Amino acid sequence: MRGELTFDDKVIQKIIGIALENIDGLLTVDGGFFSNIKDKLVNSDDVTSGINTEVGKKQVAVDMDVVVEYGKDIENIYDEMKDLIANEVNKMTHLDVIEVNVNVVDIKTREDYEANRETVQDKLSNATESTGKFASKQADKAKQSLNRGQEKVKDNMEPRVE
């Protein structure tokens, strides 16, 4: 039977992205300026962001920029990444990973990384929630003032003397 099995770059990128999620010391695969802007605007679960691949019929080459955690052994992280990528891609596709190029573009403490992960979407959600609470409090105050005003009007309508 004739036929051919091929893999889209996105499939290989997704295998790699999912595999890399649990590497200790690897904070993120950095997709560059425009990817970072997108990630700052909207919560995204796009595991392929920042992973570039060249997929042939038998082989794969991988390029990516990463941010690693301060204090971790970067060479060990790189070795772990290479092994994991080669094993996962080969296990699922039978393609050989012939090259893994990793460029470390930043280094951060985990605390700095977590603090910087808040997106504009998160900030808007928090602002909307705060605004809703504020508006609710103001409405309650206005209602109380209105009730006091009605009481005063009632008091003023009744004769003061008998």
Side-chain angles (χ1 to χ4, degrees):
M1 180 182 304
R2 294 175 54 178
E4 182 176 61
L5 175 63
T6 59
F7 298 96
D8 191 74
D9 282 355
K10 194 104 175 151
V11 172
I12 305 303
Q13 292 165 356
K14 199 165 196 175
I15 292 169
I16 293 167
I18 292 170
L20 294 178
E21 286 180 341
N22 295 317
I23 290 189
D24 183 44
L26 178 63
L27 295 176
T28 186
V29 176
D30 187 14
F33 179 75
F34 291 106
S35 176
N36 288 340
I37 292 298
K38 175 198 68 140
D39 290 343
K40 285 283 186 195
L41 292 175
V42 180
N43 291 329
S44 172
D45 290 330
D46 183 7
V47 296
T48 66
S49 178
I51 301 171
N52 298 306
T53 56
E54 187 177 329
V55 181
K57 292 184 183 217
K58 296 181 180 186
Q59 298 176 326
V60 175
V62 182
D63 297 306
M64 67 185 89
D65 292 337
V66 300
V67 177
V68 296
E69 187 176 350
Y70 178 81
K72 299 290 183 168
D73 186 326
I74 297 171
E75 193 165 335
N76 283 346
I77 293 169
Y78 174 59
D79 289 340
E80 188 177 346
M81 289 173 67
K82 288 189 304 184
D83 292 343
L84 192 57
I85 290 168
N87 289 335
E88 290 299 308
V89 169
N90 187 268
K91 180 172 72 174
M92 295 182 72
T93 66
H94 296 273
L95 296 173
D96 292 321
V97 177
I98 59 162
E99 194 172 288
V100 176
N101 298 305
V102 174
N103 181 38
V104 179
V105 295
D106 202 355
I107 189 165
K108 295 181 180 183
T109 64
R110 181 151 304 272
E111 294 78 26
D112 286 345
Y113 173 72
E114 294 297 333
N116 291 333
R117 281 187 76 188
E118 184 178 41
T119 65
V120 171
Q121 183 179 353
D122 294 332
K123 290 176 184 175
L124 284 174
S125 294
N126 293 339
T128 302
E129 185 178 325
S130 296
T131 303
K133 287 178 182 176
F134 176 77
S136 180
K137 283 181 184 177
Q138 295 304 343
D140 288 343
K141 285 180 183 178
K143 190 175 176 183
Q144 290 170 358
S145 292
L146 186 60
N147 288 339
R148 282 194 301 268
Q150 286 175 340
E151 293 296 319
K152 282 185 180 180
V153 168
K154 282 182 189 175
D155 290 345
N156 288 338
M157 292 182 73
E158 294 177 7
R160 292 168 42 166
V161 291
E162 289 184 30

